[in-house]
Amino acid sequence: MATSAEKSGATSQNFLRQFRDKKTRKFREISASSFMDVWNHYDSDGNGYIEGSELDQFLYELVTSVNTQDVGPEVVSQAALKEAKASILSAFDENKDGKIDIAELAQLLPMEENFLLLFRREHPLESSVEFMKTWRKYDEDHSGYIEADELKHFLKDLLKSFERTVSEEQLITYADTMLQLFDRNKDGKLQLSEMAKLLPVKENFLQRPIFKGAKQLTAEDISRVFNLYDRDGNKSIEDEELHGFLKDLMELVQEDYDADDIEEFKDILLRECDINHDGRIDKDELSMVLVSFAKASQGPEGEEGGEEAAAKDGAVKE
């Protein structure tokens, strides 16, 4: 029996075929604006991923677009499609989540070279602390958002780091395209969580295994995390260090967040855990936060290993 992607592919025009050379059947270089069209076509629910039936449809059309006209499902077997899907995900699904994000699609298709550089992930930011420093630099008006002109400055500097320069017109096109690709709530600017998709960090320290299902955190665990965020070694987590820590915490509980959410979270954290009221978090105060987090991560209340069980065990073990 044909899959839904095969049925759809057999009855509707193949969207990717327009980007292949009519003679060689190879993909032509895809421009920034055309890439946005491809993304919007296949990310039909607008959730920032090509997944499920969207992914099946994309892969079916990717494979069959080499044909000069639409063909029936019998031309490509389910076994061949399954094999193609496994090969493509193995090669391009960098985080192994079984779906394709914007940056992964950019690597998969033959993109305009300078535009493709904007998605390179060989040298991601080390941590959310560095992310917050970058955010502060380009949020020039301190509005809590990266707006079109600020995004253009960021992209210009990013290309300069690759020793590339583009025309002002091309830079405007890139900024407009990136804004439309990553601005999920369509307010014409990038909030923190949207910019985090464009500028990923190497690691969210709070997603390390020691925090997942841990009923107890040792003093060594606490020290290790504290040192990861205390980048200047002054024995406190403050300014961009604190905002980076809050960003990592926020990402564990919700996908969309902005600068106001971080500030609200900061106010709550300092009110509850900043014992000496100095506006910073020291190691003892961080211990309170991490123990609470470890308890909450145990699972639903009432289950063994859930919050109630964690509360029984959840002191820091010295």
Side-chain angles (χ1 to χ4, degrees), residues 40-58:
N40 289 335
H41 179 80
Y42 291 104
D43 180 25
S44 55
D45 61 5
N47 74 338
Y49 298 98
I50 297 176
E51 58 184 334
S53 60
E54 299 169 339
L55 181 57
D56 289 340
Q57 183 67 26
F58 169 74

Side-chain angles (χ1 to χ4, degrees), residues 118 138 150-162 164-166 168 171:
L118 303 179
Y138 291 100
E150 296 166 336
L151 180 59
K152 189 177 71 172
H153 296 161
F154 167 74
L155 296 178
K156 183 177 181 179
D157 288 348
L158 183 58
L159 286 170
K160 190 181 296 183
S161 72
F162 293 115
R164 299 294 182 93
T165 57
V166 297
E168 181 70 11
L171 193 59

Side-chain angles (χ1 to χ4, degrees), residues 29-284:
E29 184 177 84
I30 296 177
S31 68
S33 59
S34 293
F35 176 79
M36 184 179 64
D37 292 338
V38 173
W39 177 260
N40 289 335
H41 179 80
Y42 291 104
D43 180 25
S44 55
D45 61 5
N47 74 338
Y49 298 98
I50 297 176
E51 58 184 334
S53 60
E54 299 169 339
L55 181 57
D56 289 340
Q57 183 67 26
F58 169 74
L59 294 174
Y60 177 80
E61 294 195 6
L62 181 67
V63 171
T64 60
S65 63
V66 71
N67 298 307
T68 57
Q69 57 185 358
D70 292 322
V71 295
E74 69 280 357
V75 173
V76 183
S77 69
Q78 291 188 48
L81 283 173
K82 185 177 181 180
E83 182 179 349
K85 180 176 182 178
S87 297
I88 290 170
L89 288 177
S90 176
F92 296 100
D93 181 19
E94 297 177 1
N95 55 9
K96 308 302 179 186
D97 60 0
K99 48 193 177 183
I100 297 295
D101 64 24
I102 294 172
E104 290 166 345
L105 183 66
Q107 306 299 323
L108 199 159
L109 296 175
M111 297 298 304
E112 177 185 335
E113 186 176 3
N114 284 332
F115 185 66
L116 180 59
L117 288 173
L118 303 179
F119 295 98
R120 286 185 64 172
R121 290 178 169 177
E122 285 88 342
H123 305 289
L125 296 177
E126 284 295 320
S127 73
S128 288
V129 176
E130 282 69 38
F131 173 89
M132 291 309 304
K133 290 178 180 178
T134 302
W135 173 269
R136 290 283 179 88
K137 177 180 178 180
Y138 291 100
D139 180 20
E140 297 163 1
D141 60 1
H142 309 293
S143 65
Y145 297 92
I146 300 296
E147 292 153 330
D149 283 345
E150 296 166 336
L151 180 59
K152 189 177 71 172
H153 296 161
F154 167 74
L155 296 178
K156 183 177 181 179
D157 288 348
L158 183 58
L159 286 170
K160 190 181 296 183
S161 72
F162 293 115
E163 300 182 347
R164 299 294 182 93
T165 57
V166 297
S167 67
E168 181 70 11
E169 181 181 357
Q170 197 66 38
L171 193 59
I172 291 172
T173 298
Y174 288 172
D176 181 62
T177 301
M178 298 299 262
L179 192 58
Q180 293 188 57
L181 284 170
F182 289 94
D183 178 23
R184 289 184 59 187
N185 61 7
K186 305 305 178 186
D187 61 358
K189 51 194 176 184
L190 296 183
Q191 63 184 29
L192 263 170
S193 59
E194 294 165 344
M195 187 66 176
K197 297 288 186 183
L198 171 58
L199 188 63
V201 300
K202 184 180 294 184
E203 179 185 19
N204 180 334
F205 298 135
L206 301 181
Q207 290 181 337
R208 290 188 172 186
I210 62 169
F211 296 108
K212 295 184 177 180
K215 292 184 178 181
Q216 292 181 318
L217 291 174
T218 67
E220 183 181 356
D221 293 333
I222 301 295
S223 294
R224 188 181 301 118
V225 175
F226 184 82
N227 291 334
L228 287 170
Y229 289 99
D230 179 23
R231 309 296 274 190
D232 59 9
N234 72 344
K235 308 302 181 184
S236 65
I237 298 175
E238 58 187 332
D239 300 327
E240 282 91 355
E241 298 168 341
L242 180 55
H243 284 91
F245 173 69
L246 292 168
K247 172 182 172 290
D248 283 348
L249 270 179
M250 184 69 72
E251 287 179 347
L252 299 178
V253 296
Q254 65 187 70
E255 186 174 358
D256 294 320
Y257 56 90
D258 59 22
D260 288 340
D261 293 326
I262 295 289
E263 288 302 320
E264 182 179 353
F265 201 179
K266 177 181 175 181
D267 289 343
I268 294 171
L269 182 75
L270 292 178
R271 184 170 64 247
E272 298 296 329
C273 300
D274 182 20
I275 304 302
N276 58 7
H277 304 293
D278 63 355
R280 302 177 290 185
I281 296 294
D282 62 26
K283 190 181 294 186
D284 290 337

